[in-house]
Amino acid sequence: MKGKGQRAEGTGRPANRAAHIAAALLAVVLATGAAGAETIDRVLAVAGGQVIMLSDVTAALDLGLVSDEGSADRIGAVLTKLIDRALVLVEVNRYAPPEPADDAIEREMAIVRARFPSRPAFDAVLERSGITEAHLHETVRENLRIRAYIDQRFAGAENQGRRLMLIDEWVAGLRQRAGIVDLYAVGQ
């Protein structure tokens, strides 16, 4: 849920993609070298130049930003969505839809906060996830930009079913063109 997808001049690739992949692989090597140690966080994937950590997956679940849709493999289901989100965000950043209004961001933030019985419960999830409210605010802003881009790109679809099919095909195409490093293995 991090990253800006900046591109190296003339390459069409994220500027620091190699650095992210190297950091991800180094983290994996260091994590596996600590046999018997408790896993606090780990790299699950790199997509669109964005490192996706286990903490990103749990934060997305705990904050209700994505659903596992009842999957037996909750982490895998949410990771797939976060990989897709990272790839879509690269496209969004290339075409720069209008910025969402501040009040739209605040409405979305209020929806996230309303999922919790109290402010302390919300703050506890943020702390457990290791993210700040400012980081969540940025994630919500990016989600609104993604929605605006998709609404604009697929405005001509005749009905919702056709629109969803076109979006799925488009995301599948992004996956085929992307250099995704998926380190997640069920049960680890």
Side-chain angles (χ1 to χ4, degrees), residues 32-43:
T32 57
E38 180 182 346
T39 301
I40 296 172
D41 205 359
R42 64 186 169 119
V43 175

Side-chain angles (χ1 to χ4, degrees), residues 140-161:
V140 165
R141 183 189 75 80
E142 290 172 344
N143 287 348
L144 288 170
R145 291 180 68 234
I146 288 169
R147 271 191 240 159
Y149 176 82
I150 288 174
D151 288 347
Q152 180 183 29
R153 182 175 179 116
F154 298 99
E158 311 82 61
N159 60 51
Q160 185 65 7

Side-chain angles (χ1 to χ4, degrees), residues 41-123:
D41 205 359
R42 64 186 169 119
V43 175
L44 297 182
V46 181
Q50 178 180 333
V51 176
I52 302 171
M53 306 289 291
L54 177 59
S55 58
D56 295 323
V57 171
T58 55
L61 268 171
D62 291 350
L63 292 165
L65 300 176
V66 296
S67 167
D68 62 8
E69 297 173 1
S71 174
D73 179 13
R74 298 180 75 203
I75 293 171
V78 172
L79 178 60
T80 297
K81 290 180 179 182
L82 293 182
I83 288 170
D84 291 347
R85 180 189 184 279
L87 299 176
V88 169
L89 192 55
V90 169
E91 291 295 301
V92 168
N93 287 332
R94 283 180 52 196
Y95 295 101
E99 281 295 318
D102 289 341
D103 63 327
I105 296 171
E106 276 312 308
R107 275 193 305 274
E108 291 295 314
M109 288 291 292
I111 290 168
V112 173
R113 286 186 205 103
R115 294 182 181 123
F116 299 90
S118 65
R119 180 64 194 221
F122 171 72
D123 290 340

Side-chain angles (χ1 to χ4, degrees), residues 15-37:
N16 53 3
R17 180 183 200 171
H20 283 295
I21 292 172
L25 294 176
L26 177 61
V28 169
V29 169
L30 292 175
T32 57

